[in-house]
Amino acid sequence: MTTDQETSMSVTETGATIWLTGLPSAGKTTIAYELAGRLRGEGHRVEVLDGDEIREFLSAGLGFSREDRHTNVQRIGFVAELLAANGVKVLVPVIAPYADSRDAVRKRHQTEGTAYLEVHVATPVEVCSERDVKGLYAKQAAGEISGLTGVDDPYEAPESPDLRIESHRQTVQESAAELHALLSERGAA
């Protein structure tokens, strides 16, 4: 083994969980994937724990009651912390509508000594409704579904997030750059 190989193998990647919370169609997943590409391009190990994929595989069978949403967030938080503790940058674009659920995830990370950042993608419901990426707002307006977060189900916006992104006022690239700057400032990028 050469000295360069020894050096690169002995460097430990600093992991972190970056939780992007916000309303449906706020831009969480789009920003997460944009940032993931940038971080991978810099040589970081990155995983995106997409809420829709998690619901399909890790949380299949859970509904959208407050209890089920809490369970879903705790499962995602556990996996995120496990990955982050092992040197992965974990981007979590998941609504997580309740403050107590997000706080429990943060506390778990603090207890384990794992970096955790909460990012509020603060897009107004009117903008999210216009974007309506998955057609949820249209279905809710037509009476086909109920319990839509931020419309007829609560969303408790973070009071003091590590970063607040107003995705309706800037491009995806600008939003990802703003988040990347925070990661660099905190020693996680």
Side-chain angles (χ1 to χ4, degrees), residues 114-132:
T114 306
Y116 178 88
L117 297 172
E118 183 178 71
V119 178
H120 180 206
V121 182
T123 308
V125 69
E126 299 79 23
V127 175
C128 294
S129 178
E130 287 173 18
R131 291 178 180 170
D132 204 9

Side-chain angles (χ1 to χ4, degrees), residues 16-19 35 38-39 106 116-120 161-165 174-189:
T17 295
I18 301 94
W19 198 291
L35 179 60
R38 181 171 179 173
L39 290 170
R106 181 186 292 276
Y116 178 88
L117 297 172
E118 183 178 71
V119 178
H120 180 206
D162 295 284
L163 179 64
R164 190 175 318 276
I165 293 175
E174 290 168 336
S175 295
E178 191 175 358
L179 184 45
H180 188 274
L182 176 65
L183 292 175
S184 296
E185 176 185 305
R186 301 277 176 97

